[in-house]
Amino acid sequence: MFKFGTVAIIGRPNVGKSTLLNKILGEDLSIISSKPNTTRNSIKGIKTGEDYQIVFLDTPGIHNAKDKINQLMVKQAIDGLSMVDLVYFMVTPDEIFGKEYKFITEILNKVDATKFLLINKVDAHDKKDVVKVANKVFADGVFKFVLPISALESTNVDKLLELTVEHLPEGVKLYESEEITTIPEKFLISEFIRESVFNLLKDEVPYNVVVECEEVEDRSEELLYIAASIIVNRSSQKGIIIGKRGEMLKKIGKYSREKLEAFFGVKVYLELFVKVKEDWMNRDEYLKIQGLI
């Protein structure tokens, strides 16, 4: 008997959804930073075993969205629940039970899928806090299981996968066993570069950045050429991205290249440019680059 199903990973921003997906896949597919709302659209990751295949959706953090890009991010997260077999609802032991939490639980209770409550980051919190948040959240929804995990330390991740496979429907394999994502190559490259921007720059700049991968070419069997543009809202942000004597752009290039080489398994020649496109976050052409429309 072969099993196939889809799993949506949802929660507020910065609860560790992308870290969990990367740990399950054994690859850094979803970009990670300490800043909330790093993930802007649903990332599909594929996990294949001997008798199962799972398609995971790492969704953007659900939050009170005000501008167009954030509204589209939240819409993607919610839309991702409509046709899944399982939902992982991720919280942390210091979960904030505000409007966003209530909004998520109201949506969850309307979803016809098996729901797992995952309490992440248990390695960094007291057990009493874990039990307290488990009792609170479990009472607010209909969950099949509650499982304390640490995505970072791999605590109970194998157990989570085992329970997930157990509750998948029967089906057939849709993707080749070696495939780990359906994300287009250019989009994946853009995300790796954007991750470097998030991790190297201060809070105010990364949220105003989009990366467009303009060219990808195999120069040889061992060399991949990539040209990409980092797009910002204002000229002052361009100066921050480039840095004094170009040092920041060099750092972004170095971190991005190392990540790309590790993922693709070849040497990468990366050319980065910085462009100013005012108010890009409300312009459809740049929202399309992010896969939001």
Side-chain angles (χ1 to χ4, degrees):
M1 183 174 66
F2 193 87
K3 292 192 169 186
F4 177 90
T6 53
V7 178
I9 310 174
I10 74 163
R12 291 189 307 104
N14 218 31
V15 294
K17 300 182 294 295
S18 297
T19 302
L20 177 62
L21 178 60
N22 290 344
K23 191 66 68 172
I24 290 171
L25 298 179
E27 291 277 0
D28 288 345
L29 185 63
S30 280
I31 74 172
I32 297 170
S33 85
S34 60
K35 300 175 178 65
N37 297 330
T38 304
T39 301
R40 285 183 180 159
N41 70 348
S42 295
I43 303 296
K44 284 186 180 180
I46 304 163
K47 177 74 173 179
T48 304
E50 287 186 8
D51 57 355
Y52 69 87
Q53 188 170 78
I54 311 170
V55 177
F56 291 94
L57 304 179
D58 175 16
T59 62
I62 298 176
H63 61 286
N64 184 21
K66 295 180 180 179
D67 57 22
K68 187 173 182 179
I69 186 171
N70 279 277
Q71 289 168 358
L72 288 169
M73 285 161 55
V74 172
K75 184 178 184 299
Q76 275 215 353
I78 295 171
D79 289 349
L81 302 177
S82 60
M83 296 181 68
V84 299
D85 301 293
L86 283 86
V87 177
Y88 294 166
F89 178 33
M90 290 186 70
V91 299
T92 56
D94 56 354
E95 184 69 22
I96 300 170
F97 298 106
K99 290 181 180 178
E100 290 173 350
Y101 169 80
K102 185 179 179 182
F103 179 53
I104 296 171
T105 53
E106 286 175 352
I107 292 167
L108 267 182
N109 288 330
K110 296 175 184 176
V111 174
D112 185 21
T114 303
K115 300 162 195 124
F116 291 6
L117 171 60
L118 307 182
I119 305 173
N120 191 30
K121 306 183 182 181
V122 296
D123 56 305
H125 291 85
D126 191 276
K127 287 183 180 179
K128 290 180 181 178
D129 295 328
V130 176
V131 173
K132 186 177 179 180
V133 78
N135 289 335
K136 163 62 180 169
V137 182
F138 204 77
D140 289 340
V142 182
F143 297 99
K144 185 74 175 179
F145 296 105
V146 55
L147 192 66
I149 68 168
S150 170
L152 188 64
E153 301 293 335
S154 298
T155 305
N156 276 340
V157 171
D158 286 343
K159 180 65 176 176
L160 172 62
L161 193 58
E162 178 186 322
L163 291 171
T164 300
V165 173
E166 186 179 320
H167 288 83
L168 289 177
E170 292 184 36
V172 295
K173 187 189 294 184
L174 295 187
Y175 303 98
E176 296 296 327
S177 297
E178 64 272 11
E179 285 188 77
I180 64 165
T181 186
T182 59
I183 302 171
E185 184 180 60
K186 282 190 173 182
F187 180 79
L188 190 60
I189 290 168
S190 297
E191 287 291 273
F192 284 155
I193 297 168
R194 191 165 66 87
E195 179 182 35
S196 297
V197 175
F198 262 77
N199 286 325
L200 287 169
L201 288 169
K202 295 180 180 179
D203 290 342
E204 68 272 12
V205 176
Y207 298 107
N208 292 307
V209 165
V210 64
V211 177
E212 181 178 16
C213 181
E214 297 170 340
E215 186 178 352
V216 181
E217 181 186 345
D218 290 314
R219 293 282 172 91
S220 71
E221 289 186 1
E222 298 179 353
L223 181 63
L224 183 66
Y225 170 79
I226 297 170
S229 291
I230 300 171
I231 297 167
V232 295
N233 266 339
R234 300 187 300 274
S235 296
S236 59
Q237 293 167 340
K238 180 177 180 179
I240 295 171
I241 295 283
I242 294 173
K244 192 174 182 179
R245 293 189 294 274
E247 289 302 317
M248 180 53 69
L249 190 60
K250 288 177 184 175
K251 273 188 179 181
I252 294 169
K254 178 178 181 291
Y255 279 83
S256 302
R257 188 176 65 255
E258 288 173 353
K259 182 119 183 179
L260 290 164
E261 288 178 343
F263 186 83
F264 289 110
V266 295
K267 289 290 183 183
V268 170
Y269 184 87
L270 176 63
E271 272 197 296
L272 286 180
F273 307 92
V274 185
K275 298 178 181 179
V276 180
K277 303 291 181 183
E278 291 185 8
D279 198 34
W280 69 260
M281 289 185 287
N282 289 305
R283 292 165 63 176
D284 288 355
E285 60 188 297
Y286 296 106
L287 295 173
K288 284 178 182 177
I289 292 171
Q290 291 288 284
L292 291 169
I293 58 175

